[in-house]
Amino acid sequence: MEGDKAMECLYQMKNLRGGKSFGSQINHTDGGGQYRSDDYLNWLDSKKIKTSQSETCLQNGCAEQFNCVVKNDYLGNYGVRNERDLQIARVINKNSSNPSLH
């Protein structure tokens, strides 16, 4: 993928959000060159989006699996859609008999 295609994806993401704030999002990539360009990183920085990049291709699979487990096996069970929902889920989970989000 060329750098301009990565930027195109960012613009599509912005349009899909309909002007909503990006809040405390993290953009994880495989560390390819298109994701290290100044334009790409400056755009993310301007939106206060944190970056996360694999240092080697071997790390990306682990990161993808971890993110899948967190998103689908933990956060999905609590209906977490934003940071406030996450805070509420943590309180509920902390008071449960089987805490898993500590």
Side-chain angles (χ1 to χ4, degrees):
M1 178 186 297
E2 299 174 13
D4 58 335
K5 296 293 184 187
M7 290 301 300
E8 186 178 320
C9 290
L10 290 179
Y11 299 141
Q12 289 176 0
M13 177 179 64
K14 178 185 173 206
N15 291 337
L16 287 171
R17 292 193 56 79
K20 294 178 187 173
S21 169
F22 288 98
S24 57
Q25 292 188 8
I26 299 172
N27 177 261
H28 178 76
T29 67
D30 62 9
Q34 68 273 24
Y35 303 118
R36 295 179 188 220
S37 74
D38 288 338
D39 288 343
Y40 188 86
L41 295 173
N42 288 337
W43 192 91
L44 292 174
D45 188 54
S46 74
K47 305 296 182 207
K48 307 292 187 236
I49 299 173
K50 297 175 183 167
T51 60
S52 167
Q53 294 181 341
S54 300
E55 293 178 16
T56 71
C57 62
L58 299 175
Q59 293 175 330
N60 194 49
C62 294
E64 293 290 337
Q65 181 63 32
F66 174 78
N67 290 335
C68 178
V69 169
V70 169
K71 179 180 176 184
N72 297 319
D73 296 342
Y74 291 105
L75 301 182
N77 293 335
Y78 290 95
V80 174
R81 297 174 311 264
N82 54 46
E83 192 170 351
R84 184 171 185 278
D85 289 350
L86 179 60
Q87 291 170 347
I88 293 168
R90 288 187 71 190
V91 169
I92 292 169
N93 188 64
K94 188 175 186 177
N95 294 322
S96 77
S97 61
N98 187 16
S100 58
L101 289 176
H102 293 268

